[in-house]
Amino acid sequence: MREKNVPLKSEKIFALNLTARAAVTVVGNPVTTRMESGVSNCFPGLEFDHRNLDRRFFPGLVFDFVSSSDDLRQGARLMQVDVSDPDLDPSTFANAPEDQPDANAQSQLATALYGDPGAALAQGAWFIESISQGGKTISLHERAVGRPPLDGRPAWRLVRSLQPGPVRIVLVRRPTRQGERVPAPRSIRLSGWRRRFVSSDTGVVSEAYMPGELSQSLCSPWMHDFRDCACTYWASNHPDIVLNEEIVGGGENPVTENPLTAGTPIDWLRSDRWPARTAAAEGTEGQNRAAQMDHYQINRRWQDLSIVLGGREVSRIFNAREADTAKTFATADDLAAELVKLAELEHLVSLEYLYALYSVKNPALVKDTALQNALTFVRHELLGIAVSEMRHLRWANQLIWELEHANLTTKPIGPSLGIALFMPGGPTPRRRMLNGLTKETLQSFIDVEQPSGTLDGAYARVLATLRQPKYSGLSLEQLAARIVADGMQHYSKFREIQVILKPYLDTNPSAYLQTPYQKAPVSHPGAQKALKMYAEIIDDLTKAYKLGDMEDAHLIADARRKMFDLKAIAEELADKGLGIPYFQDDNA
Amino acid sequence: MTQLINVTGPGCVSPPPGPPPRIHLIGGERPLAFLVEGSRLFALERDFFAALETGDPGAEQELFAATGAAPRQPDFDSRLPEPAAISLNISQSCNLSCSYCYADEGRFGGRARLMPLEVALSAIDKLIDGARGRRVTLGFIGGEPFLNREVMYRSVDYALERAQDRGCTVGFSVTTNGTLLNRTDVSLLRDHGFAVSVSLDGGARVNDRYRRARGGASGFQQALRSLKPLLDNPGKARIAARATIARDDLRVAGRVNALADAGFIEIGVSPLRTSPDASLVLKAGDWPRLLEEMIRAAEEEWQRILRGHGFRFSNLATAMKQLHAGSAKPLPCGSAANYVSVSATGGYFSCHRTIDDQRFALGTTAAGLSTVARESFIKSRHVDRQEPCRTCWARYLCGGGCHAEVLSAGRGGCDYIRGWLEYCLRFYDRLLQERPGLLETSQRRPK
């Protein structure tokens, strides 16, 4: 006999080939609908027009919120009676009993819509007259008698504020022209419920919405609106600023043509598409306007606009690198052991980058504007990369934790907060080292982050392993995929730093480097304070990662607070030409 | 409840009589379930697999509920579109005299002849007119097509010109013994990206046993000499070797290795089922041995794959591609539907194997291709209408076997096909674990 308490289906049946994968019902909305899939940047961008949700707030009916100068036409107008609405079918809620409306209400509403009221509603112009919920009734007319009905926008606003749960509406039939005699019935009262727009079980948008329905009112690339939306608010397929195409050569060893071009934001809507004339985007929309496609051009040339993936224009077949062919780990123990090493590496690179960061002069103390800009850029980007590596440290630990708690590993393995002894990259790994941001140090950072180099290559193996069916229940792929993608960005960023510092690297490093800059002796009071703070942070993180409470844990919050304190101490020490001696065995 | 699950362990059994099975269970270290409709493959947790094996109706119901509906089958009542591929049998004559040749040295049992140019051009007109902007493929077969070089060259030029006029693209293929290629031929094949299928059975010794030039010279040496420039620099062409396996030597791996050494990067084999020389045709007792040999060759391929190489054994590569895509077809091939063949005198036939066999005649280039004949042929060949196919779990993977062979020689190797497919399903699972990238990236240029 099989156990009564059967595990989830997802732990029993694993789809292998494409038709099998296509047939399995996957929990959640498609990845393309998620906020992080949008390419929009300056303006938020719309994944969908949420007014379209409210058009079907009342099951079985579809409304339009009409604004018009004609009193007869404005308001919440009924467009369609849709008896195929899945909310009217009790079996829709078989897997989500908490979303199930009251069975009586469901059957009564279905009966009404199939019966005479439904037939009457299919004729003539019907508008919502009033809405009742929780003992309150709101009229969709202005209060005074004889006043015109509310415009579509306030009517929509009122519908928007309904809560999921029982709702009663009154619909009235209006004449379609002045003086027309409206036949009976002139008013119909329906009891129903405010639709739950997403399933509380899966988060999936209600199946009442047809494909394309939620985005139907957004502007399309071939429309004037796509160029200048009246509310500068457009579909998420309209980015403002993107990064230029980066990869030349393709294949397994793509070459970055020019790190500056690759890292320079350009205007997506630029009219001159000739690559050699592509210039950096200006800082404001107004400044970019002259170089952008005009209305008549967007109508005709919208297909010249580039596809954007990961914030970057892509004109050839997109090659998702490495992860496709990477070798998988045989067991979850092997995978976790690798993650332990990777976490140690993440920890090491964070420290090396942070140490190097404070070797760069404080821009506030420099007079030359060009140098000041360069210093600001370098410090900002270095800090960004270091923080990103810290996030990876946490993600690597999360991966370990998830593997352990799914009982995929045979023994407890994490957390991993050690510091690696050797740094990969270059021809041979080098001993870990705390150094200022000299030319050589910068090159060694570039080597580490090089695509298909050591670090992202290792994650590609992790990713390939996590794509195996046995890990599919854990949904960890995304974490590993983001680490791989970040690596590519770090590489570009370091190369940009290299270009920005080019005027100084060889001939005049003292222009941008603190001189002297060296490790503070351990006995130095500032160093002692910093190291104590650092030890506390690691202690907090160790405990937090052990508990596995990865979000909102007070320990993580504590550690974060202490990181800000540590940053302040690091700045103080840097002003004295000293760096925090995170480790002492590097002979530097 | 009716047992609709088909279970096999190692080896295989003939399909049981009764309703068509919907699931095929494959036991082993990692149990698999193959859902016949939609060719969907699932890995199962062991206890759940065990429940299915014992016929637990709850488990079966759970499996179907979890896996959803199968993709829809093609609609056989809708009208057939015009074929997008034809092959022109431009030379019903051959310079070799292979003892097993189904085409009877290209004569297909008839007189040796060459296709006149006007027949070729008329067939090309009909192909391109019917394409309505789709990509079309024009194939040249024989006999040995390079014996009618002029018609081939002029057909290529004409097809390109007509395709440009009608806004469609055209691809080319040729099946050749490779012995007659000159420098201009090599350029033609390179420049127009021909899919070149070379009939060679293995290394010199194996090949020359049956594939001898008239007069007894080595067909293998002759072919390699003339193919060398193309193998060294294929340009846009794609070259594959195809070996025929006769019953007196069922070995596969050796052939694949020998042809790979000769410079081929895609090598396929096919067993001999019909031949003018009946003593070479595979018999019932040969199939289990052939299966062993196929598996041995595939295991060698597996070792290469683990070392980071791509596929070269195309029987396996094609199976992987189709299993990955979940290909489920009620017919074995596109013959008579998407593909027809034209005889030297301008007769349409269901494929290159059935030239001049009136059972498979579908019209003439003069009178036109008969859609009614094509539709009725296809309907009659639907695998769900064939016995014993109807109750076989592998029916939508196999499609019921080559029409030409089945109608001439019956269905002999079904256990072999099921055994090979079951092996391939296991192989697919391994591949998905170890080298999933091979399934997702293009396999055009394996290492």
PDB file of all heavy atoms in Angstrom, chain B residues 79-91:
ATOM      1  N   ARG B  79      -7.628  19.187 -45.709  1.00  0.00           N
ATOM      2  CA  ARG B  79      -7.031  18.955 -47.017  1.00  0.00           C
ATOM      3  C   ARG B  79      -5.507  19.038 -46.930  1.00  0.00           C
ATOM      4  O   ARG B  79      -4.942  19.854 -46.222  1.00  0.00           O
ATOM      5  CB  ARG B  79      -7.563  20.033 -47.972  1.00  0.00           C
ATOM      6  CG  ARG B  79      -7.393  19.672 -49.402  1.00  0.00           C
ATOM      7  CD  ARG B  79      -8.082  20.702 -50.297  1.00  0.00           C
ATOM      8  NE  ARG B  79      -7.638  20.531 -51.666  1.00  0.00           N
ATOM      9  CZ  ARG B  79      -8.096  19.572 -52.466  1.00  0.00           C
ATOM     10  NH1 ARG B  79      -8.998  18.732 -52.025  1.00  0.00           N
ATOM     11  NH2 ARG B  79      -7.642  19.465 -53.692  1.00  0.00           N
ATOM     12  N   LEU B  80      -4.857  18.142 -47.682  1.00  0.00           N
ATOM     13  CA  LEU B  80      -3.389  18.113 -47.667  1.00  0.00           C
ATOM     14  C   LEU B  80      -2.822  19.313 -48.401  1.00  0.00           C
ATOM     15  O   LEU B  80      -3.260  19.621 -49.505  1.00  0.00           O
ATOM     16  CB  LEU B  80      -2.904  16.878 -48.419  1.00  0.00           C
ATOM     17  CG  LEU B  80      -2.636  15.593 -47.668  1.00  0.00           C
ATOM     18  CD1 LEU B  80      -2.027  14.592 -48.643  1.00  0.00           C
ATOM     19  CD2 LEU B  80      -1.702  15.820 -46.513  1.00  0.00           C
ATOM     20  N   PRO B  81      -1.820  19.971 -47.830  1.00  0.00           N
ATOM     21  CA  PRO B  81      -1.133  20.994 -48.612  1.00  0.00           C
ATOM     22  C   PRO B  81      -0.238  20.323 -49.664  1.00  0.00           C
ATOM     23  O   PRO B  81       0.034  19.123 -49.579  1.00  0.00           O
ATOM     24  CB  PRO B  81      -0.289  21.737 -47.579  1.00  0.00           C
ATOM     25  CG  PRO B  81      -0.138  20.790 -46.443  1.00  0.00           C
ATOM     26  CD  PRO B  81      -1.296  19.839 -46.485  1.00  0.00           C
ATOM     27  N   GLU B  82       0.194  21.085 -50.641  1.00  0.00           N
ATOM     28  CA  GLU B  82       1.096  20.525 -51.653  1.00  0.00           C
ATOM     29  C   GLU B  82       2.409  20.125 -50.977  1.00  0.00           C
ATOM     30  O   GLU B  82       2.794  20.713 -49.973  1.00  0.00           O
ATOM     31  CB  GLU B  82       1.376  21.591 -52.729  1.00  0.00           C
ATOM     32  CG  GLU B  82       0.154  21.968 -53.553  1.00  0.00           C
ATOM     33  CD  GLU B  82      -0.405  20.785 -54.322  1.00  0.00           C
ATOM     34  OE1 GLU B  82       0.361  20.163 -55.075  1.00  0.00           O
ATOM     35  OE2 GLU B  82      -1.611  20.464 -54.155  1.00  0.00           O
ATOM     36  N   PRO B  83       3.126  19.148 -51.518  1.00  0.00           N
ATOM     37  CA  PRO B  83       4.391  18.738 -50.894  1.00  0.00           C
ATOM     38  C   PRO B  83       5.403  19.883 -50.902  1.00  0.00           C
ATOM     39  O   PRO B  83       5.409  20.693 -51.829  1.00  0.00           O
ATOM     40  CB  PRO B  83       4.896  17.616 -51.798  1.00  0.00           C
ATOM     41  CG  PRO B  83       3.777  17.256 -52.693  1.00  0.00           C
ATOM     42  CD  PRO B  83       2.825  18.389 -52.738  1.00  0.00           C
ATOM     43  N   ALA B  84       6.240  19.919 -49.878  1.00  0.00           N
ATOM     44  CA  ALA B  84       7.295  20.938 -49.825  1.00  0.00           C
ATOM     45  C   ALA B  84       8.630  20.325 -50.238  1.00  0.00           C
ATOM     46  O   ALA B  84       9.648  21.010 -50.254  1.00  0.00           O
ATOM     47  CB  ALA B  84       7.391  21.515 -48.424  1.00  0.00           C
ATOM     48  N   ALA B  85       8.642  19.039 -50.521  1.00  0.00           N
ATOM     49  CA  ALA B  85       9.898  18.399 -50.926  1.00  0.00           C
ATOM     50  C   ALA B  85       9.605  17.376 -52.006  1.00  0.00           C
ATOM     51  O   ALA B  85       8.621  16.637 -51.920  1.00  0.00           O
ATOM     52  CB  ALA B  85      10.550  17.726 -49.728  1.00  0.00           C
ATOM     53  N   ILE B  86      10.468  17.369 -53.038  1.00  0.00           N
ATOM     54  CA  ILE B  86      10.380  16.275 -54.007  1.00  0.00           C
ATOM     55  C   ILE B  86      11.785  15.752 -54.254  1.00  0.00           C
ATOM     56  O   ILE B  86      12.773  16.438 -54.001  1.00  0.00           O
ATOM     57  CB  ILE B  86       9.769  16.706 -55.372  1.00  0.00           C
ATOM     58  CG1 ILE B  86      10.597  17.822 -56.017  1.00  0.00           C
ATOM     59  CG2 ILE B  86       8.327  17.112 -55.247  1.00  0.00           C
ATOM     60  CD1 ILE B  86      10.203  18.097 -57.468  1.00  0.00           C
ATOM     61  N   SER B  87      11.840  14.509 -54.697  1.00  0.00           N
ATOM     62  CA  SER B  87      13.129  14.029 -55.184  1.00  0.00           C
ATOM     63  C   SER B  87      12.960  13.646 -56.641  1.00  0.00           C
ATOM     64  O   SER B  87      11.929  13.090 -57.037  1.00  0.00           O
ATOM     65  CB  SER B  87      13.616  12.848 -54.345  1.00  0.00           C
ATOM     66  OG  SER B  87      12.702  11.800 -54.400  1.00  0.00           O
ATOM     67  N   LEU B  88      13.955  14.016 -57.424  1.00  0.00           N
ATOM     68  CA  LEU B  88      13.932  13.707 -58.848  1.00  0.00           C
ATOM     69  C   LEU B  88      14.849  12.525 -59.085  1.00  0.00           C
ATOM     70  O   LEU B  88      16.037  12.590 -58.756  1.00  0.00           O
ATOM     71  CB  LEU B  88      14.439  14.912 -59.656  1.00  0.00           C
ATOM     72  CG  LEU B  88      13.668  16.218 -59.493  1.00  0.00           C
ATOM     73  CD1 LEU B  88      14.326  17.315 -60.325  1.00  0.00           C
ATOM     74  CD2 LEU B  88      12.213  16.031 -59.917  1.00  0.00           C
ATOM     75  N   ASN B  89      14.282  11.485 -59.635  1.00  0.00           N
ATOM     76  CA  ASN B  89      15.093  10.309 -59.919  1.00  0.00           C
ATOM     77  C   ASN B  89      15.745  10.527 -61.289  1.00  0.00           C
ATOM     78  O   ASN B  89      15.311   9.995 -62.290  1.00  0.00           O
ATOM     79  CB  ASN B  89      14.173   9.089 -59.899  1.00  0.00           C
ATOM     80  CG  ASN B  89      14.961   7.820 -59.825  1.00  0.00           C
ATOM     81  OD1 ASN B  89      15.781   7.665 -58.938  1.00  0.00           O
ATOM     82  ND2 ASN B  89      14.734   6.941 -60.768  1.00  0.00           N
ATOM     83  N   ILE B  90      16.780  11.382 -61.291  1.00  0.00           N
ATOM     84  CA  ILE B  90      17.280  11.865 -62.584  1.00  0.00           C
ATOM     85  C   ILE B  90      18.063  10.807 -63.344  1.00  0.00           C
ATOM     86  O   ILE B  90      18.276  10.930 -64.534  1.00  0.00           O
ATOM     87  CB  ILE B  90      18.104  13.165 -62.449  1.00  0.00           C
ATOM     88  CG1 ILE B  90      19.257  12.980 -61.487  1.00  0.00           C
ATOM     89  CG2 ILE B  90      17.229  14.321 -62.027  1.00  0.00           C
ATOM     90  CD1 ILE B  90      20.185  14.185 -61.458  1.00  0.00           C
ATOM     91  N   SER B  91      18.505   9.781 -62.618  1.00  0.00           N
ATOM     92  CA  SER B  91      19.243   8.748 -63.341  1.00  0.00           C
ATOM     93  C   SER B  91      18.834   7.379 -62.830  1.00  0.00           C
ATOM     94  O   SER B  91      19.246   6.983 -61.742  1.00  0.00           O
ATOM     95  CB  SER B  91      20.746   8.965 -63.134  1.00  0.00           C
ATOM     96  OG  SER B  91      21.429   7.787 -63.476  1.00  0.00           O
TER      97      SER B  91
END
